[in-house]
């Protein structure tokens, strides 16, 4: 029997986010851009402030009380992220500044060491630039080739094409868990299984998944998983890379500097153990600690509850948006295969004009190419508007979006 998660108390959630007390031009702030960055609860804001007020010190080096406190809190945050992702141990978690840095780490470290001419890197048509460009840079240096899995007209990955493209030449598959434009949730578990059959490793870009769904890296079976703290109620400048420990151990360092070494002479350097080998220099300490608090916050609410809330909101939004004549919605994955992201256009109104119009109503949406220009080309558009939802959004906010879009159509005379 499937037990339904208990319903989320959205009002209680919203009270924990001070920004929602703000008004914009006399109107309540309606934030529908969490795919770009999420808002932060008070506990996360307090955690960062408390670090600076009470135990600001560098980590892993001080021999005094506050440095020990800082190190303990930093390492506890690593442990929390490991548990959040069901990683086998905290040594599998490398702190990064976000998904972009995590993917670059894998591309430069794993990619440079393992790719050569004749090898292939398999990406998909729905990747964010940060899961395309690092691979292009590495392909140029190593002679490996990039191949791309197309999407279907419904905005799903074309799995038949994936299987055709997945040859023995493919050494790494880099795929987004959830599309930041179409909202599509990709079958990452199946992708990992198939990729492993040909001996390829898999990097999953979890930027749009880790904040919204329960993620279990062991069940997925991925080799790498990248996430951004700022999209999951944590601070900017925080994020993480999960990597299988054997892989991380075999990989060369990404950046050189303090902290990542064991001994240094001018002739030779030996490196620290994982994950420290990948954390050169002073890390964003307050941010990592506060990311741990964001993980506590999300866990205390429950990822199943958050997911269920977003499924409801997205279904409601998709239904209500049909009332807006002239709207085109990109991607038609069924609710169980879709996250809380809806990209759309309204007649031929430029998405930036639409976003400016909505801003006058206190509604924040994103407009542009969403760092996914190849996908825009596939969809035959230069840009789209995008509304994205999180645990603090309500059906009333979707009603406000729909009404404002109807007004926009009238205002622009279309
Ligand atoms: N991948 C996806 C799917 C994203 O949506 C984003 C952020 N828009 C990124 C990667 C990059 O994340 P960050 O800018 O936090 O490094």
């Amino acid at each position: 029997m499937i037990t339904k998660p208990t319903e989320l108390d959205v009002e209680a959630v919203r009270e924990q986010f001070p920004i929602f007390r703000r008004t914009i031009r006399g109107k309540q702030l309606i934030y529908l851009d969490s795919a770009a960055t999420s808002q932060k609860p008070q506990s996360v804001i307090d955690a960062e402030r408390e670090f600076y007020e009470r135990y600001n010190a560098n980590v892993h080096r001080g021999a005094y009380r506050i440095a020990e406190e800082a190190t303990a809190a930093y390492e506890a945050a690593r442990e929390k992220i490991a548990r959040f992702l069901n990683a086998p141990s905290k040594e599998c978690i490398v702190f990064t500044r976000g998904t972009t840095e995590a993917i670059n780490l894998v591309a430069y470290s794993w990619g440079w060491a393992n790719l050569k001419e004749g090898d292939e890197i398999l990406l998909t048509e729905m990747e964010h630039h940060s899961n395309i460009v690092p691979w292009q840079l590495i392909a140029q240096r190593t002679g490996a080739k990039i191949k791309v899995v197309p999407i279907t007209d419904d905005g799903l990955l074309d799995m038949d094409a994936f299987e055709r493209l997945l040859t023995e030449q493919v050494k790494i598959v880099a795929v987004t868990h959830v599309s930041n434009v179409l909202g599509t949730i990709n079958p990452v578990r199946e992708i990992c299984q198939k990729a492993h059959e040909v001996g390829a490793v898999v990097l999953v870009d979890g930027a749009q998944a880790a904040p919204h769904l329960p993620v279990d890296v062991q069940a997925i079976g991925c080799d790498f998983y990248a996430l951004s703290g700022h999209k999951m109620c944590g601070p900017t400048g925080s994020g993480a890379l999960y990597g299988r420990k054997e892989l991380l151990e075999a990989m060369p360092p990404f950046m050189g500097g303090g902290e990542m070494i064991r001994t240094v002479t001018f002739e030779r350097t030996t490196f620290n153990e994982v994950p420290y080998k990948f954390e050169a220099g002073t890390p964003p300490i307050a941010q990592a600690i506060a990311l741990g608090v964001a993980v506590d916050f999300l866990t205390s609410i429950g990822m199943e509850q958050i997911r269920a809330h977003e499924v409801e909101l997205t279904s409601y939004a998709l239904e209500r948006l049909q009332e807006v004549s002239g709207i085109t919605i990109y991607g038609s994955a069924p609710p169980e295969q879709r996250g809380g992201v809806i990209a759309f256009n309204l007649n031929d109104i430029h998405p930036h004009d639409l976003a400016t119009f909505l801003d006058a109503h206190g509604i924040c949406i994103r407009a542009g190419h969403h760092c996914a220009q190849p996908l825009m080309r596939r969809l035959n558009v230069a840009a789209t508007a995008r509304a994205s939802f999180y645990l603090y959004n309500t059906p009333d906010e979707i009603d406000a979006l729909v009404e404002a879009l109807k007004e926009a159509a009238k205002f622009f005379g279309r």
Side-chain angles (χ1 to χ4, degrees):
M1 195 183 81
I2 299 168
T3 50
K4 200 168 178 259
T6 50
E7 221 164 272
L8 199 89
D9 182 350
V10 189
E11 279 320 307
V13 166
R14 287 176 70 83
E15 271 171 27
Q16 299 186 53
F17 288 78
I19 203 163
F20 294 130
R21 295 199 273 277
R22 225 195 124 171
T23 52
I24 302 286
R25 297 185 194 93
K27 299 214 161 71
Q28 221 189 330
L29 173 69
I30 297 182
Y31 188 72
L32 302 177
D33 197 18
S34 294
T37 196
S38 75
Q39 297 303 341
K40 322 299 175 201
Q42 191 69 54
S43 60
V44 169
I45 298 166
D46 289 348
E48 250 196 280
R49 201 192 53 237
E50 192 181 284
F51 171 76
Y52 292 119
E53 285 180 356
R54 293 189 43 82
Y55 59 105
N56 173 47
N58 216 324
V59 287
H60 302 136
R61 28 193 111 152
Y64 44 87
R65 171 74 177 263
I66 58 170
E68 279 165 17
E69 286 176 6
T71 303
Y74 182 74
E75 289 305 318
R78 193 191 307 277
E79 182 83 50
K80 288 175 192 180
I81 295 165
R83 252 181 279 130
F84 185 69
L85 298 176
N86 193 31
S89 73
K90 79 180 180 83
E91 287 75 34
C92 303
I93 303 296
V94 180
F95 279 122
T96 65
R97 283 183 297 123
T99 302
T100 302
E101 186 178 297
I103 297 173
N104 275 274
L105 190 163
V106 177
Y108 280 90
S109 169
W110 184 91
W112 214 332
N114 289 283
L115 295 171
K116 56 179 188 329
E117 205 158 336
D119 289 344
E120 290 176 1
I121 301 163
L122 194 52
L123 308 179
T124 87
E125 216 168 13
M126 65 171 89
E127 296 313 310
H128 187 279
H129 295 163
S130 65
N131 203 21
I132 300 174
V133 184
W135 298 112
Q136 280 173 341
L137 296 172
I138 284 308
Q140 281 160 12
R141 283 166 171 80
T142 58
K145 259 212 191 88
I146 290 178
K147 293 267 169 84
V148 183
V149 181
I151 60 166
T152 64
D153 291 339
D154 290 339
L156 303 175
L157 268 191
D158 181 341
M159 291 302 283
D160 292 335
F162 169 68
E163 293 200 29
R164 277 197 304 278
L165 287 162
L166 189 64
T167 62
E168 302 261 314
Q169 278 67 52
V170 175
K171 295 295 178 280
I172 185 158
V173 178
V175 58
T176 193
H177 195 168
V178 176
S179 161
N180 66 317
V181 176
L182 304 165
T184 309
I185 302 175
N186 287 317
V188 284
R189 191 176 177 155
E190 183 187 343
I191 289 172
C192 290
Q193 259 169 10
K194 301 215 156 111
H196 289 159
E197 280 167 21
V198 301
V201 298
V202 181
L203 174 141
V204 178
D205 170 350
Q208 298 294 345
H212 304 281
L213 328 163
V215 172
D216 180 334
V217 289
Q218 294 187 75
I220 293 170
C222 55
D223 302 281
F224 301 105
Y225 196 94
L227 60 83
S228 294
H230 71 95
K231 293 188 201 280
M232 48 191 276
C233 298
T236 52
S238 69
L241 172 72
Y242 157 79
R244 276 204 296 115
K245 198 168 166 207
E246 318 82 87
L247 284 177
L248 291 177
E249 278 172 345
M251 282 157 54
F254 169 41
M255 290 193 286
E259 265 309 285
M260 49 75 72
I261 55 90
R262 188 161 283 144
T263 60
V264 180
T265 65
F266 278 109
E267 290 70 39
R268 189 177 124 79
T269 294
T270 57
F271 302 118
N272 206 339
E273 60 206 11
V274 296
Y276 310 107
K277 180 170 75 177
F278 295 108
E279 292 179 8
T282 300
I285 305 166
Q287 290 78 356
I289 294 170
L291 173 57
V293 174
V295 164
D296 290 341
F297 171 77
L298 294 174
T299 314
S300 72
I301 290 165
M303 293 309 294
E304 296 281 359
Q305 273 75 6
I306 292 171
R307 169 72 185 139
H309 177 67
E310 289 181 26
V311 168
E312 260 175 44
L313 275 182
T314 311
S315 304
Y316 181 66
L318 286 168
E319 188 190 307
R320 283 235 50 204
L321 285 169
Q322 298 305 330
E323 288 171 29
V324 182
S325 74
I327 199 164
T328 307
I329 292 172
Y330 300 97
S332 49
E336 64 282 4
Q337 256 179 285
R338 180 172 196 138
V341 178
I342 301 177
F344 60 93
N345 270 316
L346 182 52
N347 295 317
D348 57 352
I349 304 171
H350 195 284
H352 283 131
D353 291 339
L354 207 50
T356 307
F357 185 89
L358 294 181
D359 178 51
H361 291 67
I363 303 173
C364 314
I365 61 154
R366 176 83 183 263
H369 54 61
H370 315 295
C371 299
Q373 287 182 358
L375 179 58
M376 294 292 114
R377 231 160 273 132
R378 167 65 172 87
L379 299 174
N380 231 342
V381 290
T384 79
R386 180 186 73 183
S388 53
F389 315 124
Y390 207 7
L391 73 167
Y392 36 65
N393 290 120
T394 66
D396 290 351
E397 293 178 318
I398 288 163
D399 292 341
L401 170 71
V402 170
E403 295 316 316
L405 287 174
K406 287 180 186 168
E407 274 184 44
K410 267 194 229 139
F411 178 83
F412 289 102
R414 300 183 204 157

